[in-house]
Amino acid sequence: MSAKHQSAFTLVEVVVAAFILAVGITGLMGALSGLSSAEIKVAQRDLIYRIAAEKLDELVATEAWKSEAGGSFDDTRLSDYTWSIQEVNTGVENVTGLTLTVSSTSKGEVTVSTLVFEPPQTSGGTQGT
C-alpha cells in the first residue's frame, strides 16, 4: 500500500491566518477613519478661508472697511462665524494694509490680508494759463 500525502491546514495555521487578517482589517478601518476625519477638517478649513476671502473682497469693494470693525454674517448657515478687520500701517504713503479674521467657536479661525491703494486727494480746481 502506498501512503497518500494529504495537505491540509492545521487549526493553528487557520487561527494565525484569521488573527493576521483581523489585525489587517482593523488597521485599515483605523486608517480610513483617520483619512475621513482629516478630509472633514480640510473641508472646514477651506470653507472658513473662502468665507474670509469673500468678506475681505466685499469690504474692500464697498469701502466698508473704513466704517466697520467687525460683525457676524447674514447667512443663517454661518451663524457660528464672526469677523473682524484691522487696518495695518504699511509705512507706504496711500497704501493701507487690511487684516480680516474670521472665527468660529467650533472650527477655529482664519486670517487673510490685503493691501489697498487710495489715490492721493487732489485739490479742488486747476487753473489754466
Side-chain angles (χ1 to χ4, degrees), residues 6-72:
Q6 290 186 337
S7 86
F9 293 108
T10 64
L11 182 58
V12 173
E13 291 173 324
V14 171
V15 169
V16 169
F19 177 75
I20 292 172
L21 186 61
V23 169
I25 289 174
T26 303
L28 181 62
M29 294 305 289
L32 289 176
S33 174
L35 183 62
S36 177
S37 175
E39 184 179 0
I40 289 169
K41 287 180 183 178
V42 167
Q44 289 173 343
R45 188 81 170 163
D46 182 55
L47 172 66
I48 196 170
Y49 180 79
R50 284 187 291 121
I51 291 168
E54 287 175 10
K55 187 63 178 180
L56 183 59
D57 288 346
E58 173 190 327
L59 292 170
V60 170
T62 62
E63 295 187 349
W65 60 272
K66 294 178 180 179
S67 60
E68 297 182 34
S72 57

Side-chain angles (χ1 to χ4, degrees), residues 77-97:
R77 296 173 292 176
L78 303 177
S79 62
D80 185 37
Y81 296 92
T82 58
W83 63 271
S84 63
I85 192 162
Q86 292 182 321
E87 290 185 42
V88 179
N89 184 355
T90 62
V92 178
E93 189 176 343
N94 300 324
V95 176
T96 302

